[in-house]
Amino acid sequence: MSSTERNRMLSPLMDALIGQGLKNDVIVQHVSLLVAWAWCFRHRPELGLPDPKDRPGITVAMQTMRKALEAAGGSSNVASDFLEMNCTGRTVQDLQDIVATLEWPDVESLVTAIASLAEHALGQHAGQPPLPLELAKLMVRLGQTTGQRVLAAYPMSDLPMALADEAAERTYASTLQPALSEALVLICDAVVAAQDHGTQGPHADVVLSVPPMGAKVSSATSAGKPRSRRSDAVGLQEAWERSTSRSVVLVLGSTLFETTEYGLREGLVRDNAIDMIIQLPGQALLNTNVPPVLVVLDHQREPKAPISFVDASRLVPENARQRSKPPHRSTEFWTDLTKLLDQEVDGQASRLVTVAEIESNDFDLSVNRYIRGDATQKITDLGKSHEMHRLADITTSIRAQTLKGEEGEDGKRFIEIGGRDIDASGQIHIEEPRKQLQVAGRARKRAEQQLLRPGDVLLISKGSIGRVALVGDDCGDDWMAGQVFLIIRTQERGVVKPEYLYRYLASPMVQQYLSEIASGTGIPILKSNDIKNLPVPIPSLEEQERVISVHRQIMEEYEAIRTHQAQIEELSQRHWAI
């Protein structure tokens, strides 16, 4: 059955409810329940649903479905008489007549039709949107659910559960049961186990889990003390504990690198639990640009087997990220991803990584740490023809910290340099200090450690990562680096000159490299160790002087631009100035 045919079958129900002035989310809820009535009447006679041809009344059908849901362990949040109370009598009759005509060849066609309806109707509206259909199909495929007992954890896992139509049995474990979930539970004959996270929940062969993204929950430590954690990290841990075969969990990228979840990652890696990590692109989910990650866990992995890392964002061309339809609506993207997963070889978008390499990266599981970007490869190739040094071996680094104002007898006022004080030429330009800070005591000692000197290179390590500045001879004796900066100071009589280092860090190659190794989802972050380990080519002093000569030429051009801009401003004020 084609997608057009599936959508056409639901259109009469949609049109009838739209005509009653109902909102989109309400329409999706009740279309789902009406469709469940049609399917369960024909394919689940044990539920005792009335024949819609007899026009028994929608309320009667909904009451019967409510009892069936309760028998399965669930509960309904939808009033059984809602449609009869909010629609005209004629519309109620028409809806029953339409239900009597609905039929699908199999569960997958029916679930796909409901999912497509929810995705298109709710995708542009507030609230928690449904999981994209193609992503749900991928989770089922990765879970290898055929003949297995499947557990769907959390509300958004209802669609993968319903699509796992070759599973031996299905359990929906969630305290929240939206109307769409109610319909899917009845259609696929699932059991409901209303379990909160952290409690002793049901177990299964395969767990398909979509925890709420970024929500904070309370979780007990090994000592039994409660602590706040992100729900996706908790969901990942619970999926491993509740499965006996495989798990597929959708999480935020922060779970892969945040310090607070170091123990979770180390434990999963050392337990040989992780089979695959797939970095999805932004807009893989509805209503958000945050790129999610699929983590596949497997209890039957071979000992010391490598972990497969996949960067699916490589499948979205740069020029298509703004102009083409987003990945969640692109059939081509999901088709290409399926082909990529079938290859199981190292390539530009996938790589097998050993546990030893992961351990050397402090169990950071960010995909971009293991699949090299173009700039990373270029820097690696540069090492074949140049002597390379770690940045930490040729410089001293000072990470600036946040300071609060403090009065005291030894108080001193400092000018805090921020990202907005760096001009286009990479110089610090201050006409009027944007931020001044009076500090004393320990705060003053810390501020003095962050004082700038001529020749210092500043690198923004959080937010607008990669922006660099070279501190000039006009540096004030009260200039202090703000918290976004890492101060990079060349060693006296060192092998590298500040101007050369600045030009290297400001180069397009290194700027792209820093973007490739950055951690973080909403706000990118450069880790201190990553910056310290940045490879720097060290040519002869003569070659460095040639680079510095080019740097001076660039600075002269910027000075000429400023002169021209000043002349333009002066000319524009000669007539009709205010």
Side-chain angles (χ1 to χ4, degrees):
M1 179 181 288
S2 68
S3 59
T4 302
E5 291 174 323
R6 290 193 295 264
N7 294 337
R8 188 183 301 121
M9 290 185 69
L10 296 183
S11 293
L13 289 176
M14 289 285 294
D15 294 341
L17 294 178
I18 289 173
Q20 300 301 297
L22 301 180
K23 295 181 179 179
N24 273 24
D25 56 340
V26 176
I27 292 174
V28 170
Q29 291 176 3
H30 289 280
V31 167
S32 302
L33 291 172
L34 291 171
V35 167
W37 177 15
W39 176 267
C40 292
F41 169 72
R42 290 179 172 83
H43 300 279
R44 297 198 61 195
E46 73 278 9
L47 299 184
L49 284 166
D51 189 341
K53 290 182 180 179
D54 297 335
R55 293 183 178 175
I58 296 177
T59 299
V60 173
M62 295 299 114
Q63 289 174 340
T64 306
M65 291 170 63
R66 177 187 288 268
K67 292 179 181 178
L69 189 65
E70 291 172 350
S75 61
S76 178
N77 296 313
V78 180
S80 299
D81 61 352
F82 179 87
L83 289 180
E84 292 191 2
M85 294 295 293
N86 290 274
C87 299
T88 64
R90 178 62 183 175
T91 299
V92 170
Q93 292 182 4
D94 290 344
L95 290 171
Q96 294 176 86
D97 293 341
I98 296 169
V99 170
T101 66
L102 298 179
E103 180 61 287
W104 286 266
D106 49 49
V107 171
E108 182 178 356
S109 297
L110 170 57
V111 172
T112 299
I114 295 175
S116 298
L117 167 66
E119 184 173 326
H120 287 84
L122 300 180
Q124 302 302 320
H125 293 265
Q128 182 166 280
L131 198 68
L133 175 62
E134 295 299 329
L135 177 53
K137 289 181 178 179
L138 178 61
M139 291 183 66
V140 173
R141 179 178 179 275
L142 293 171
Q144 301 175 8
T145 58
T146 300
Q148 303 292 311
R149 295 175 300 123
V150 174
L151 172 66
Y154 301 96
M156 285 183 67
S157 309
D158 56 0
L159 185 54
M161 170 199 68
L163 289 170
D165 58 328
E166 295 184 1
E169 62 181 57
R170 286 168 278 190
T171 301
Y172 178 61
S174 175
T175 53
L176 178 63
Q177 296 157 30
L180 177 61
S181 300
E182 294 177 17
L184 294 176
V185 164
L186 292 171
I187 289 169
C188 67
D189 191 14
V191 174
V192 179
Q195 291 285 341
D196 288 315
H197 69 85
T199 62
Q200 186 61 37
H203 289 67
D205 302 319
V206 177
V207 173
L208 305 176
S209 181
V210 186
M213 292 291 179
K216 292 286 188 177
V217 297
S218 179
S219 176
T221 64
S222 57
K225 296 181 179 180
R227 72 180 179 102
S228 179
R229 299 176 67 191
R230 292 187 183 274
S231 57
D232 39 344
V234 174
L236 182 61
Q237 179 177 334
E238 290 180 347
W240 174 246
E241 294 170 349
R242 294 184 179 183
S243 63
T244 59
S245 179
R246 287 173 72 85
S247 298
V248 184
V249 189
L250 190 71
V251 301
L252 287 175
S254 56
T255 304
L256 304 181
F257 64 83
E258 282 188 336
T259 305
T260 54
E261 295 302 337
Y262 177 92
L264 171 63
R265 295 191 301 273
E266 181 185 14
L268 291 174
V269 171
R270 294 198 184 283
D271 287 344
N272 196 32
I274 303 176
D275 188 54
M276 182 180 295
I277 297 177
I278 305 171
Q279 177 65 68
L280 296 171
Q283 296 188 309
L285 299 176
L286 279 69
N287 288 0
T288 178
N289 289 322
V290 176
V293 178
L294 278 174
V295 181
V296 182
L297 308 176
D298 191 345
H299 287 263
Q300 279 83 44
R301 277 168 47 83
E302 293 292 330
K304 298 182 179 180
I307 297 174
S308 178
F309 283 78
V310 179
D311 187 358
S313 64
R314 302 285 184 93
L315 302 177
V316 183
E318 287 289 342
N319 61 354
R321 290 180 181 173
Q322 285 77 35
R323 294 184 295 177
S324 69
K325 53 189 175 182
H328 72 263
R329 294 192 184 278
S330 172
T331 304
E332 294 78 11
F333 166 76
W334 297 104
T335 300
D336 291 343
L337 178 54
T338 300
K339 292 178 181 178
L340 176 63
L341 296 178
D342 288 338
Q343 292 175 0
E344 297 184 353
V345 294
D346 288 357
Q348 291 186 342
S350 61
R351 183 168 171 246
L352 294 174
V353 181
T354 64
V355 172
E357 183 177 351
I358 293 172
E359 187 172 0
S360 69
N361 278 288
D362 291 329
F363 296 96
D364 187 328
L365 298 177
S366 303
V367 172
N368 63 353
R369 303 193 74 82
Y370 305 101
I371 299 180
R372 293 177 176 175
D374 294 338
T376 306
Q377 187 61 53
K378 286 183 178 179
I379 289 179
T380 301
D381 294 341
L382 196 62
K384 299 175 183 178
S385 57
H386 291 74
E387 180 184 355
M388 305 294 283
H389 291 256
R390 292 169 62 248
L391 183 64
D393 294 335
I394 56 176
T395 65
T396 301
S397 297
I398 302 170
R399 184 175 287 277
Q401 297 183 3
T402 303
L403 297 176
K404 295 182 179 180
E406 182 179 336
E407 299 291 339
E409 293 181 359
D410 62 340
K412 181 179 179 180
R413 186 171 296 276
F414 294 87
I415 295 176
E416 184 175 310
I417 305 300
R420 292 182 298 174
D421 296 315
I422 302 175
D423 63 18
S425 68
Q427 296 176 305
I428 297 175
H429 181 71
I430 300 177
E431 290 184 356
E432 295 183 5
R434 296 179 186 271
K435 184 175 181 181
Q436 298 186 56
L437 196 65
Q438 178 80 18
V439 292
R442 292 183 179 179
R444 174 174 173 172
K445 291 181 180 179
R446 182 63 214 180
E448 290 171 345
Q449 293 175 357
Q450 297 175 198
L451 283 174
L452 299 179
R453 304 176 188 173
D456 283 348
V457 178
L458 296 180
L459 173 68
I460 293 183
S461 59
K462 182 177 182 180
S464 301
I465 59 168
R467 286 193 66 193
V468 288
L470 180 63
V471 180
D473 293 333
D474 60 344
C475 176
D477 59 5
D478 57 353
W479 288 11
M480 176 191 72
Q483 61 166 327
V484 298
F485 288 116
L486 184 73
I487 306 170
I488 303 173
R489 186 168 294 157
T490 57
Q491 299 170 355
E492 292 184 15
R493 300 180 182 179
V495 296
V496 63
K497 292 183 175 295
E499 297 87 349
Y500 169 82
L501 181 60
Y502 165 75
R503 287 256 64 95
Y504 177 70
L505 295 177
S507 68
M509 179 183 68
V510 175
Q511 289 291 298
Q512 179 61 33
Y513 171 80
L514 295 175
S515 177
E516 290 173 359
I517 66 171
S519 301
T521 49
I523 301 177
I525 299 171
L526 292 173
K527 292 185 175 181
S528 295
N529 284 341
D530 290 338
I531 300 174
K532 291 177 181 178
N533 291 326
L534 171 66
V536 180
I538 306 298
S540 65
L541 292 178
E542 182 181 358
E543 188 174 342
Q544 289 188 50
E545 285 296 338
R546 286 195 289 269
V547 173
I548 293 171
S549 177
V550 172
H551 169 73
R552 294 191 183 113
Q553 293 178 41
I554 294 173
M555 292 299 102
E556 290 172 0
E557 293 298 330
Y558 273 114
E559 185 59 36
I561 290 173
R562 281 191 285 267
T563 300
H564 288 312
Q565 287 176 334
Q567 290 174 347
I568 291 171
E569 182 66 23
E570 180 184 350
L571 290 171
S572 67
Q573 295 292 328
R574 286 190 178 181
H575 301 286
W576 304 292
I578 296 177

